[in-house]
Amino acid sequence: MRTQNTVVLSLGTNLGNRLQNVETAIALLHSKVGSVVKISALYETPSWGFESTPFYNCALLIHTQKDANSLLEACQAIELEMGRAHTKPGYEARIIDIDVIAFNEEIISTTNLQVPHPLMQDRLFVLLPMRDLQLDWRHPILQKHLPDLLKAAEDKSNCVLVQKLTAPLKSIPLEQYNYIAIEGNIGAGKTTLALKIADDFNAKTVLERFADNPFLPKFYEDQNRYAFPLEMSFLADRYQQISDDLAQFDLFKDFIVADYHIFKSLIFAKVTLTDDEYRLYRKLFEIIYKEMPKPDLYIYLYQNTDRLLANIKKRGREYEQEIAAEYLDKINQGYLDYIKSQTDLNVLLIDVSDRDFVQNQEDYVYILSKIQEKLAPNT
């Protein structure tokens, strides 16, 4: 499920330490704009359109939540941060140049931005690196794929391969975990994070289906009456879904990211059910739990209650708006108690109370860094 925009950028530099300029730009783009998923090889190419020293050029594939205009502004801010000065119109030597070549397969024509880049098909230093990205991309105006654009290009510049480059995401070998479960309280952002990671690391997803549960709106209106049928319904649905979904995949070969773990059923049940109901529920749960595959990594996104309430209000599900802070406190404590009790589960707890990994790429990179630290003993 694609949740982000897919963007191709072209980088060029011919002033100062060209390799360092490219590496700096890549790091800034990854930390501020979007996940750098793929990078072409680095090429040395003659200056195009004016006389100057040769350029280093490469192409990047990034995933970003930003729209096209915000993306352009962010790229220009990085150019400025690196010392790029637009002193005159036209071509000039530069410490860094970041061009937006493609934005999904959209056609964009504004005063500040034209996508696809209007001259990309005439520039070998754009086409060759872009070919390295191995994209199934078709020019939305010319209706040609990259191999056809290269064949038709009249530019015969001598573009020399300098060296291979490594995308930042390649340093995080998440695929060594076949099955990751991301958990959190109501409104913590577990589904959003699962989708972003799956998108960036080409993983399969197992996402909890909850919107169709007929007992959920009733439960928020009358918890005492509907707690037991709600929890039993969730347990049956989660067991059925995870059994069906995981059966489609090879747990030894496929990389799977889920936005829930079936143990959440017991956590919520302990909070919502009476003692007698909970004892009966637990007996049924333990029969089911023995059959379920356990995740290789269990990520718990912790958010404080005030932040959870703000998130719940923002996403606007009507039946969630009356959730009490006390209820969220109990769920949070239930998760933390569960995590402490698990000696055979590989758990990573990340406090995201002061982070917005949807709007701020830096916060998403922070989460990836915590996962990378968890991976470190195994790499």
Side-chain angles (χ1 to χ4, degrees), residues 29 33 35 50 81 100 168 193 242 276 288-289 300-301 329 336-337 347 379:
L29 287 164
V33 178
S35 302
F50 72 114
E81 181 179 344
V100 181
L193 181 61
I242 204 165
D276 288 343
I288 290 175
Y289 188 62
Y300 181 67
L301 299 179
D329 286 339
L336 295 176
D337 289 344
V347 177
T379 56

Side-chain angles (χ1 to χ4, degrees), residues 3-7 29 31-34 62-75 78 103-104 106 196 358-362:
T3 61
Q4 304 178 88
N5 294 307
T6 300
V7 179
L29 287 164
S31 67
K32 296 185 176 185
V33 178
I62 73 168
H63 292 159
T64 182
Q65 303 284 151
K66 294 182 182 296
D67 60 33
N69 287 328
S70 299
L71 171 75
L72 177 64
E73 291 173 1
C75 290
I78 289 174
F103 190 89
N104 302 320
E106 296 180 24
K196 283 176 70 70
V358 177
Q359 298 300 324
N360 299 323
Q361 176 68 10
E362 297 98 323

Side-chain angles (χ1 to χ4, degrees), residues 136-192:
D136 183 20
W137 182 84
R138 182 176 61 178
H139 196 294
I141 298 175
L142 301 177
Q143 294 297 302
K144 292 182 178 180
H145 289 86
L146 278 169
D148 299 320
L149 292 174
L150 272 165
K151 288 179 183 178
E154 296 182 2
D155 182 10
K156 305 302 179 185
S157 301
N158 185 26
C159 297
V160 179
L161 190 151
V162 177
Q163 68 177 65
K164 300 289 185 180
L165 298 172
T166 302
L169 288 185
K170 295 297 183 183
S171 66
I172 309 174
L174 265 187
E175 62 278 1
Q176 82 172 45
Y177 292 136
N178 296 105
Y179 174 23
I180 293 177
I182 300 174
E183 265 291 6
N185 208 330
I186 302 166
K190 50 192 175 292
T191 301
T192 301

Side-chain angles (χ1 to χ4, degrees), residues 82-341:
M82 290 184 61
R84 169 84 184 271
H86 295 268
T87 56
K88 59 182 180 180
Y91 302 111
E92 60 182 353
R94 64 212 74 176
I95 193 167
I96 195 66
D97 187 29
I98 305 173
D99 285 329
V100 181
I101 303 300
F103 190 89
N104 302 320
E105 290 192 6
E106 296 180 24
I107 300 172
I108 301 171
S109 182
T110 67
T111 303
N112 297 321
L113 181 62
Q114 288 186 296
V115 175
H117 194 287
L119 297 177
M120 65 166 293
Q121 65 274 8
D122 301 323
R123 296 176 171 179
L124 205 59
F125 68 81
V126 173
L127 295 175
L128 277 177
M130 193 171 173
R131 183 183 63 179
D132 288 353
L133 300 178
Q134 298 180 327
L135 306 176
D136 183 20
W137 182 84
R138 182 176 61 178
H139 196 294
I141 298 175
L142 301 177
Q143 294 297 302
K144 292 182 178 180
H145 289 86
L146 278 169
D148 299 320
L149 292 174
L150 272 165
K151 288 179 183 178
E154 296 182 2
D155 182 10
K156 305 302 179 185
S157 301
N158 185 26
C159 297
V160 179
L161 190 151
V162 177
Q163 68 177 65
K164 300 289 185 180
L165 298 172
T166 302
L169 288 185
K170 295 297 183 183
S171 66
I172 309 174
L174 265 187
E175 62 278 1
Q176 82 172 45
Y177 292 136
N178 296 105
Y179 174 23
I180 293 177
I182 300 174
E183 265 291 6
N185 208 330
I186 302 166
K190 50 192 175 292
T191 301
T192 301
L193 181 61
L195 288 170
K196 283 176 70 70
I197 288 177
D199 203 10
D200 289 350
F201 292 88
N202 195 31
K204 311 289 195 308
T205 56
V206 174
L207 305 178
E208 184 177 12
R209 297 188 293 263
F210 63 91
D212 295 331
N213 191 309
F215 295 105
L216 191 56
K218 297 176 183 178
F219 167 76
Y220 288 128
E221 293 176 2
D222 188 347
Q223 293 192 16
N224 291 333
R225 180 178 179 184
Y226 290 104
F228 191 74
L230 174 72
E231 298 303 343
M232 288 301 299
S233 176
F234 267 138
L235 180 59
D237 287 347
R238 286 167 182 150
Y239 172 72
Q240 187 66 57
Q241 185 196 349
I242 204 165
S243 298
D244 292 346
D245 287 353
L246 291 180
Q248 301 177 38
F249 308 128
D250 186 336
L251 286 175
F252 296 100
K253 294 181 180 179
D254 291 321
F255 177 30
I256 301 162
V257 179
D259 71 344
Y260 73 103
H261 178 41
I262 197 169
F263 204 94
K264 76 181 297 178
S265 298
L266 202 60
I267 294 169
F268 278 79
K270 189 173 184 179
V271 172
T272 60
L273 301 182
T274 65
D275 290 344
D276 288 343
E277 289 173 335
Y278 179 71
R279 281 192 289 271
L280 172 59
Y281 183 92
R282 180 152 193 153
K283 288 179 182 178
L284 297 171
F285 174 84
E286 288 176 350
I287 294 171
I288 290 175
Y289 188 62
K290 290 177 182 178
E291 300 181 12
M292 302 307 299
K294 308 304 185 289
D296 302 308
L297 178 64
Y298 178 99
I299 299 173
Y300 181 67
L301 299 179
Y302 173 82
Q303 286 200 358
N304 62 47
T305 301
D306 288 342
R307 179 68 184 278
L308 291 170
L309 288 169
N311 291 346
I312 290 168
K313 183 177 180 180
K314 183 178 180 181
R315 72 183 182 185
R317 293 173 184 162
E318 184 177 351
Y319 57 83
E320 292 181 342
Q321 297 310 304
E322 300 304 319
I323 294 177
E326 182 183 6
Y327 176 72
L328 295 175
D329 286 339
K330 290 179 179 178
I331 296 299
N332 256 346
Q333 191 58 52
Y335 271 112
L336 295 176
D337 289 344
Y338 164 68
I339 289 170
K340 291 176 185 177
S341 71

